[in-house]
Amino acid sequence: MFEKILIANRGEIACRVIKTARKMGIKTVAIYSDADRQALHVKMADEAVHIGPPPANQSYIVIDKVMEAIRTSGAQAVHPGYGFLSENAKFAEALEAEGVAFVGPPKGAIEAMGDKITSKKIAQEAGVSTVPGYMGLIEDAEEAVKISNEVGYPVMIKASAGGGGKGMRIAWNDAEAREGFQSSKNEAANSFGDDRIFIEKFVTQPRHIEIQVLCDAHGNGIYLGERECSIQRRNQKVVEEAPSPFLDEETRRAMGEQSVALAKAVGYASAGTVEFIVDGNKNFYFLEMNTRLQVEHPVTELITGVDLVEQMIRVANGEPLTITQDDVTLTGWAIENRLYAEDPYRNFLPSIGRLTRYRPPAETAAYTPGTAAGAAGDVVVRNDTGVFEGGEISMFYDPMIAKLCTWAPTREAAIAAMRTALDSFEVEGIGHNLPFLSAVMDHEKFTSGDMTTAFIAEEYPDGFEGVTLADADLRRVAASAAAMHRVAEIRRTKVSGRMDNHERKVGDDWVVSLQGQNHAVAIAADSDGSTVTFEDGTAIRVASDWTPGDQLAELTTDGDPLVMKVGKITQGFRLRLRGADLNVHVRTPRQAELAALMPEKVAPDTSKMLLCPMPGLIVKVDVEVGQEVQEGQALCTVEAMKMENILRAEKKGIVSKINAAAGESLAVDDVIMEFE
């Protein structure tokens, strides 16, 4: 077995590989850019080698720099993780020439299947059903428009070497095809060092289901079930689960056997994923093969008990698989939520900055990859991450912060565990998608399993604006807030240095205001908790050991668990749970009476300004002062976290002032331009 492995990656996946290597007794070498000098993967590894400036195209994807790090460290093998050089045949070739093992498939398999154009041609020749499209290289935007018309709109414009949603655009007309081609080409060049683009028909209402395969160099190959990845935004997966709530055993077997046959046809040896779109009649169509470890591999590990990273390392070491297809059993249900540094209230635009608070829910101590999740108990919580409290989310890399996973014997129990885990996850300092993930876990389409890749676009067409809690949930929150406020008030009465004969008494009657509702309540407290009675006579029993200053409240209301993130505001709390963000005021009846007379603060008018929606770099400005613009017209392009974002006019107007030029870095809400 290898004594030392270099991980040619960063962040969460580098930390994930280090954990398995450590379990196997293998030393690890991290590589890092200037931006990652203090990163978690650097701290976790046995050694670390600096490889250059922050941009990936000057560090992590520069083969010569990575090869020099390998020579410096004396690593015998390299795990590429995902993204960066993981599907780069030239990198695999360079390792082979150096006599260093690649923890991934052979170079020929990467060339054949890692390239989306080539893989589709091979699939077609093998008789695999594929989505209609143009597999040749496309030279310019006009050719892209011509091909799009031949294929028929809508079309998907995709980077040949792409992955993770980078370099992908959906075009519904000529203008979008022309614009999308150039943006996809730019993103592909920046993210992968390869700007080749192809076009295929965009199939509406599909489900995205993928098969995990595992092959060795001795001709053995198995599949480890499927993953449902239909909940996506911008073609980037957000929620994954295994198994799929849609497939039956017959379809699973057909997809699995076809995936293994395809892998064997190209001499594949390692872990890999064959992706399909599946229609409502369970017809499946080959999309592509990812010749690497997938981001969402933890859900497969949780239901199979197979450590995929360990298997990859053993295959790279020349060992045959010790697992046969008959050994593969799918136990229970696993769900993964990807926590992104993206602000859902700003249409999921990237957010960067320092993590002033980062407290994930406690992981299940008894569970480690490579063991059956069921052995750890009724519920398993796993959090794969590459960040820490006080660390910085950089503008140079992917915005993923963590992958939160839960496992339980049933899908319903796994979802319930995920709801609690999300409510328990504390992240401050940046915008993030925790509220949105919580909303998805409660959405009827998700809980029923009846979702497609259009889920987010259909259910949140105007973006995410938070969650409106049902009345029953609001009452639970109101009762809890009242009980918490009483505890805080009692503590305030005990402040030292009080004047004599000025003892303050805490009353029993309060008015709780939240989500536009007022609830008059009376509190009867005892040593075990509080009974909160509403005006209509109904009562809720609240029990908790919450103390003022705690930023997480774990309570029970009538015996049912309730977890909330807590912030202090005047006369109450900011409470966050289940995707809702509530300002909850708890006042005496007289205070509530006076508060009702206060005028509401009016927000400043920014309707005649274009504000920068995220910290980023101005790539280009498309208009000039004095120019009349129409609704929907492109005004400028902002790049952040490897994604280009085109900002458009919301209405007709005339540009009166431009405050930023191409090449300038802007903060969130900086004024880019103004209109008459």
Side-chain angles (χ1 to χ4, degrees), residues 386-428:
V387 303
F388 56 91
E389 187 167 292
E392 192 167 353
I393 303 299
S394 168
M395 67 180 287
F396 296 102
Y397 310 115
D398 188 273
M400 192 169 68
I401 298 171
K403 301 180 316 197
L404 180 63
C405 304
T406 56
W407 176 94
T410 66
R411 186 172 188 265
E412 293 74 17
I415 293 172
M418 180 60 75
R419 289 171 180 147
T420 300
L422 288 169
D423 282 344
S424 304
F425 208 136
E426 300 178 72
V427 181
E428 305 293 348

Short mmCIF file of all heavy atoms in Angstrom, two decimals, residues 386-428:
data_model
loop_
_atom_site.label_atom_id
_atom_site.label_comp_id
_atom_site.label_asym_id
_atom_site.label_seq_id
_atom_site.Cartn_x
_atom_site.Cartn_y
_atom_site.Cartn_z
N GLY A 386 -14.92 21.83 4.56
CA GLY A 386 -13.54 22.25 4.40
C GLY A 386 -13.29 23.62 5.00
O GLY A 386 -12.31 24.28 4.67
N VAL A 387 -14.19 24.05 5.89
CA VAL A 387 -14.07 25.39 6.48
C VAL A 387 -14.10 25.28 8.00
O VAL A 387 -14.36 24.21 8.56
CB VAL A 387 -15.20 26.32 5.99
CG1 VAL A 387 -15.21 26.42 4.48
CG2 VAL A 387 -16.57 25.82 6.49
N PHE A 388 -13.86 26.41 8.65
CA PHE A 388 -13.91 26.45 10.11
C PHE A 388 -14.28 27.86 10.54
O PHE A 388 -14.21 28.82 9.75
CB PHE A 388 -12.55 26.06 10.71
CG PHE A 388 -11.39 26.90 10.21
CD1 PHE A 388 -11.01 28.05 10.88
CD2 PHE A 388 -10.70 26.53 9.07
CE1 PHE A 388 -9.96 28.83 10.41
CE2 PHE A 388 -9.64 27.31 8.59
CZ PHE A 388 -9.27 28.45 9.27
N GLU A 389 -14.73 27.98 11.78
CA GLU A 389 -15.12 29.29 12.31
C GLU A 389 -13.92 30.24 12.30
O GLU A 389 -12.84 29.90 12.78
CB GLU A 389 -15.65 29.13 13.73
CG GLU A 389 -16.25 30.41 14.30
CD GLU A 389 -17.04 30.13 15.56
OE1 GLU A 389 -18.10 29.49 15.45
OE2 GLU A 389 -16.59 30.54 16.65
N GLY A 390 -14.12 31.42 11.72
CA GLY A 390 -13.03 32.38 11.57
C GLY A 390 -12.37 32.32 10.22
O GLY A 390 -11.64 33.23 9.84
N GLY A 391 -12.63 31.23 9.46
CA GLY A 391 -12.06 31.10 8.12
C GLY A 391 -12.80 32.00 7.13
O GLY A 391 -13.87 32.54 7.41
N GLU A 392 -12.21 32.15 5.96
CA GLU A 392 -12.76 33.06 4.96
C GLU A 392 -13.26 32.29 3.75
O GLU A 392 -12.61 31.36 3.27
CB GLU A 392 -11.69 34.07 4.53
CG GLU A 392 -12.24 35.22 3.72
CD GLU A 392 -11.24 36.37 3.57
OE1 GLU A 392 -10.18 36.31 4.20
OE2 GLU A 392 -11.53 37.30 2.81
N ILE A 393 -14.43 32.69 3.25
CA ILE A 393 -14.96 32.15 2.00
C ILE A 393 -14.43 33.04 0.88
O ILE A 393 -14.74 34.23 0.81
CB ILE A 393 -16.50 32.15 2.00
CG1 ILE A 393 -17.03 31.34 3.19
CG2 ILE A 393 -17.02 31.57 0.69
CD1 ILE A 393 -16.62 29.89 3.20
N SER A 394 -13.62 32.46 0.01
CA SER A 394 -12.92 33.24 -1.01
C SER A 394 -13.75 33.39 -2.28
O SER A 394 -14.56 32.52 -2.62
CB SER A 394 -11.59 32.54 -1.35
OG SER A 394 -11.01 33.09 -2.50
N MET A 395 -13.52 34.47 -3.00
CA MET A 395 -14.20 34.70 -4.27
C MET A 395 -13.61 33.86 -5.39
O MET A 395 -14.15 33.79 -6.49
CB MET A 395 -14.11 36.18 -4.66
CG MET A 395 -12.71 36.66 -4.98
SD MET A 395 -12.64 38.42 -5.44
CE MET A 395 -13.37 38.36 -7.07
N PHE A 396 -12.49 33.18 -5.13
CA PHE A 396 -11.77 32.50 -6.21
C PHE A 396 -12.26 31.08 -6.48
O PHE A 396 -11.92 30.51 -7.52
CB PHE A 396 -10.27 32.46 -5.89
CG PHE A 396 -9.64 33.82 -5.82
CD1 PHE A 396 -9.36 34.40 -4.59
CD2 PHE A 396 -9.36 34.53 -6.97
CE1 PHE A 396 -8.78 35.66 -4.52
CE2 PHE A 396 -8.79 35.79 -6.91
CZ PHE A 396 -8.50 36.36 -5.67
N TYR A 397 -13.03 30.51 -5.55
CA TYR A 397 -13.35 29.09 -5.70
C TYR A 397 -14.85 28.83 -5.57
O TYR A 397 -15.64 29.73 -5.36
CB TYR A 397 -12.57 28.27 -4.67
CG TYR A 397 -11.10 28.59 -4.65
CD1 TYR A 397 -10.51 29.18 -3.52
CD2 TYR A 397 -10.31 28.37 -5.76
CE1 TYR A 397 -9.17 29.51 -3.52
CE2 TYR A 397 -8.96 28.69 -5.77
CZ TYR A 397 -8.39 29.27 -4.65
OH TYR A 397 -7.06 29.61 -4.66
N ASP A 398 -15.19 27.56 -5.71
CA ASP A 398 -16.57 27.13 -5.62
C ASP A 398 -17.18 27.58 -4.28
O ASP A 398 -16.51 27.56 -3.25
CB ASP A 398 -16.61 25.60 -5.71
CG ASP A 398 -18.02 25.07 -5.83
OD1 ASP A 398 -18.66 24.84 -4.78
OD2 ASP A 398 -18.47 24.88 -6.96
N PRO A 399 -18.47 27.98 -4.28
CA PRO A 399 -19.07 28.53 -3.06
C PRO A 399 -19.57 27.50 -2.06
O PRO A 399 -20.19 27.86 -1.07
CB PRO A 399 -20.24 29.35 -3.61
CG PRO A 399 -20.64 28.64 -4.85
CD PRO A 399 -19.36 28.13 -5.45
N MET A 400 -19.29 26.20 -2.27
CA MET A 400 -19.80 25.20 -1.34
C MET A 400 -19.05 25.24 -0.01
O MET A 400 -17.82 25.21 0.02
CB MET A 400 -19.71 23.80 -1.94
CG MET A 400 -20.49 22.78 -1.11
SD MET A 400 -20.67 21.20 -1.95
CE MET A 400 -18.98 20.64 -1.93
N ILE A 401 -19.80 25.30 1.08
CA ILE A 401 -19.24 25.36 2.42
C ILE A 401 -19.18 23.96 3.04
O ILE A 401 -18.20 23.58 3.66
CB ILE A 401 -20.09 26.27 3.33
CG1 ILE A 401 -20.09 27.69 2.78
CG2 ILE A 401 -19.58 26.25 4.77
CD1 ILE A 401 -21.09 28.59 3.49
N ALA A 402 -20.26 23.20 2.86
CA ALA A 402 -20.34 21.89 3.51
C ALA A 402 -21.39 21.04 2.82
O ALA A 402 -22.24 21.54 2.06
CB ALA A 402 -20.67 22.04 4.99
N LYS A 403 -21.33 19.74 3.08
CA LYS A 403 -22.34 18.79 2.63
C LYS A 403 -22.91 18.12 3.87
O LYS A 403 -22.24 17.33 4.52
CB LYS A 403 -21.73 17.75 1.69
CG LYS A 403 -21.09 18.36 0.45
CD LYS A 403 -20.49 17.32 -0.48
CE LYS A 403 -19.72 16.25 0.20
NZ LYS A 403 -18.83 15.51 -0.72
N LEU A 404 -24.14 18.46 4.20
CA LEU A 404 -24.80 17.91 5.39
C LEU A 404 -25.62 16.70 4.97
O LEU A 404 -26.47 16.80 4.08
CB LEU A 404 -25.68 18.97 6.03
CG LEU A 404 -26.44 18.56 7.29
CD1 LEU A 404 -25.47 18.22 8.41
CD2 LEU A 404 -27.39 19.67 7.73
N CYS A 405 -25.36 15.56 5.60
CA CYS A 405 -26.04 14.32 5.25
C CYS A 405 -26.74 13.73 6.46
O CYS A 405 -26.23 13.80 7.58
CB CYS A 405 -25.05 13.28 4.71
SG CYS A 405 -24.09 13.84 3.29
N THR A 406 -27.89 13.14 6.21
CA THR A 406 -28.56 12.35 7.25
C THR A 406 -28.93 11.00 6.67
O THR A 406 -29.23 10.87 5.48
CB THR A 406 -29.83 13.04 7.79
OG1 THR A 406 -30.73 13.32 6.69
CG2 THR A 406 -29.49 14.31 8.52
N TRP A 407 -28.91 9.97 7.53
CA TRP A 407 -29.35 8.63 7.16
C TRP A 407 -30.34 8.15 8.20
O TRP A 407 -30.20 8.45 9.39
CB TRP A 407 -28.17 7.66 7.13
CG TRP A 407 -28.58 6.24 6.84
CD1 TRP A 407 -28.61 5.62 5.62
CD2 TRP A 407 -29.04 5.27 7.79
NE1 TRP A 407 -29.07 4.32 5.75
CE2 TRP A 407 -29.34 4.08 7.08
CE3 TRP A 407 -29.24 5.29 9.17
CZ2 TRP A 407 -29.82 2.93 7.71
CZ3 TRP A 407 -29.73 4.15 9.80
CH2 TRP A 407 -30.01 2.98 9.07
N ALA A 408 -31.36 7.44 7.74
CA ALA A 408 -32.33 6.83 8.65
C ALA A 408 -32.92 5.61 7.95
O ALA A 408 -32.75 5.44 6.74
CB ALA A 408 -33.42 7.84 9.03
N PRO A 409 -33.62 4.77 8.68
CA PRO A 409 -34.18 3.56 8.06
C PRO A 409 -35.19 3.84 6.96
O PRO A 409 -35.37 3.04 6.05
CB PRO A 409 -34.85 2.84 9.24
CG PRO A 409 -34.12 3.33 10.45
CD PRO A 409 -33.77 4.76 10.15
N THR A 410 -35.89 4.99 7.01
CA THR A 410 -36.89 5.33 6.00
C THR A 410 -36.63 6.73 5.47
O THR A 410 -35.94 7.54 6.10
CB THR A 410 -38.31 5.29 6.57
OG1 THR A 410 -38.44 6.33 7.56
CG2 THR A 410 -38.61 3.94 7.21
N ARG A 411 -37.22 7.02 4.31
CA ARG A 411 -37.06 8.36 3.72
C ARG A 411 -37.68 9.42 4.62
O ARG A 411 -37.11 10.51 4.81
CB ARG A 411 -37.72 8.39 2.33
CG ARG A 411 -37.48 9.69 1.55
CD ARG A 411 -37.97 9.59 0.12
NE ARG A 411 -37.56 10.75 -0.66
CZ ARG A 411 -38.32 11.83 -0.86
NH1 ARG A 411 -39.55 11.86 -0.34
NH2 ARG A 411 -37.88 12.86 -1.56
N GLU A 412 -38.85 9.13 5.17
CA GLU A 412 -39.52 10.11 6.03
C GLU A 412 -38.66 10.45 7.24
O GLU A 412 -38.55 11.61 7.64
CB GLU A 412 -40.87 9.57 6.48
CG GLU A 412 -41.91 9.41 5.37
CD GLU A 412 -41.63 8.23 4.44
OE1 GLU A 412 -40.84 7.34 4.83
OE2 GLU A 412 -42.18 8.22 3.32
N ALA A 413 -38.03 9.42 7.83
CA ALA A 413 -37.19 9.65 9.01
C ALA A 413 -35.91 10.41 8.64
O ALA A 413 -35.42 11.24 9.42
CB ALA A 413 -36.84 8.32 9.67
N ALA A 414 -35.36 10.13 7.46
CA ALA A 414 -34.16 10.83 7.01
C ALA A 414 -34.46 12.31 6.78
O ALA A 414 -33.64 13.19 7.10
CB ALA A 414 -33.61 10.19 5.74
N ILE A 415 -35.64 12.61 6.21
CA ILE A 415 -36.05 14.00 6.00
C ILE A 415 -36.24 14.70 7.34
O ILE A 415 -35.81 15.84 7.54
CB ILE A 415 -37.34 14.07 5.15
CG1 ILE A 415 -37.06 13.59 3.72
CG2 ILE A 415 -37.88 15.51 5.12
CD1 ILE A 415 -38.32 13.44 2.87
N ALA A 416 -36.91 14.04 8.28
CA ALA A 416 -37.13 14.63 9.60
C ALA A 416 -35.80 14.94 10.29
O ALA A 416 -35.63 16.00 10.91
CB ALA A 416 -37.98 13.69 10.46
N ALA A 417 -34.85 14.01 10.18
CA ALA A 417 -33.53 14.23 10.78
C ALA A 417 -32.82 15.41 10.11
O ALA A 417 -32.13 16.19 10.78
CB ALA A 417 -32.69 12.96 10.66
N MET A 418 -32.99 15.54 8.80
CA MET A 418 -32.36 16.64 8.08
C MET A 418 -32.96 17.98 8.51
O MET A 418 -32.24 18.98 8.65
CB MET A 418 -32.52 16.44 6.57
CG MET A 418 -31.90 17.55 5.73
SD MET A 418 -30.11 17.74 5.96
CE MET A 418 -29.50 16.32 5.07
N ARG A 419 -34.26 18.03 8.73
CA ARG A 419 -34.90 19.28 9.17
C ARG A 419 -34.27 19.76 10.48
O ARG A 419 -33.93 20.94 10.63
CB ARG A 419 -36.39 19.06 9.37
CG ARG A 419 -37.18 18.88 8.07
CD ARG A 419 -38.60 18.47 8.39
NE ARG A 419 -39.39 18.28 7.18
CZ ARG A 419 -40.37 17.39 7.05
NH1 ARG A 419 -40.67 16.61 8.08
NH2 ARG A 419 -41.04 17.29 5.93
N THR A 420 -34.12 18.84 11.43
CA THR A 420 -33.53 19.20 12.71
C THR A 420 -32.07 19.60 12.55
O THR A 420 -31.61 20.57 13.17
CB THR A 420 -33.64 18.02 13.69
OG1 THR A 420 -35.03 17.70 13.87
CG2 THR A 420 -33.04 18.37 15.04
N ALA A 421 -31.33 18.87 11.72
CA ALA A 421 -29.91 19.18 11.50
C ALA A 421 -29.73 20.55 10.88
O ALA A 421 -28.84 21.31 11.26
CB ALA A 421 -29.28 18.10 10.63
N LEU A 422 -30.58 20.90 9.92
CA LEU A 422 -30.49 22.22 9.28
C LEU A 422 -30.81 23.33 10.28
O LEU A 422 -30.13 24.37 10.30
CB LEU A 422 -31.45 22.30 8.09
CG LEU A 422 -31.07 21.49 6.85
CD1 LEU A 422 -32.24 21.44 5.86
CD2 LEU A 422 -29.84 22.08 6.17
N ASP A 423 -31.83 23.13 11.11
CA ASP A 423 -32.17 24.15 12.11
C ASP A 423 -31.07 24.30 13.15
O ASP A 423 -30.92 25.36 13.76
CB ASP A 423 -33.49 23.77 12.81
CG ASP A 423 -34.72 24.08 11.96
OD1 ASP A 423 -34.58 24.85 10.98
OD2 ASP A 423 -35.79 23.54 12.26
N SER A 424 -30.27 23.25 13.33
CA SER A 424 -29.19 23.28 14.32
C SER A 424 -27.88 23.83 13.75
O SER A 424 -26.93 24.03 14.50
CB SER A 424 -28.94 21.86 14.85
OG SER A 424 -30.11 21.29 15.38
N PHE A 425 -27.81 24.04 12.46
CA PHE A 425 -26.58 24.45 11.78
C PHE A 425 -26.43 25.97 11.87
O PHE A 425 -27.22 26.71 11.31
CB PHE A 425 -26.63 24.02 10.31
CG PHE A 425 -25.28 23.77 9.68
CD1 PHE A 425 -25.09 22.66 8.88
CD2 PHE A 425 -24.22 24.63 9.88
CE1 PHE A 425 -23.87 22.40 8.29
CE2 PHE A 425 -22.99 24.38 9.30
CZ PHE A 425 -22.81 23.26 8.50
N GLU A 426 -25.41 26.43 12.60
CA GLU A 426 -25.20 27.87 12.81
C GLU A 426 -24.11 28.40 11.87
O GLU A 426 -22.97 27.96 11.93
CB GLU A 426 -24.81 28.14 14.25
CG GLU A 426 -25.83 27.70 15.28
CD GLU A 426 -25.35 27.95 16.69
OE1 GLU A 426 -25.32 29.13 17.10
OE2 GLU A 426 -24.96 26.99 17.37
N VAL A 427 -24.49 29.32 11.00
CA VAL A 427 -23.54 29.97 10.08
C VAL A 427 -23.83 31.46 10.08
O VAL A 427 -24.96 31.88 9.81
CB VAL A 427 -23.67 29.42 8.64
CG1 VAL A 427 -22.66 30.11 7.72
CG2 VAL A 427 -23.48 27.92 8.61
N GLU A 428 -22.82 32.26 10.40
CA GLU A 428 -22.96 33.72 10.40
C GLU A 428 -21.77 34.35 9.69
O GLU A 428 -20.70 33.76 9.61
CB GLU A 428 -23.03 34.26 11.83
CG GLU A 428 -24.11 33.64 12.71
CD GLU A 428 -25.52 33.98 12.28
OE1 GLU A 428 -25.69 34.88 11.44
OE2 GLU A 428 -26.46 33.33 12.78
#
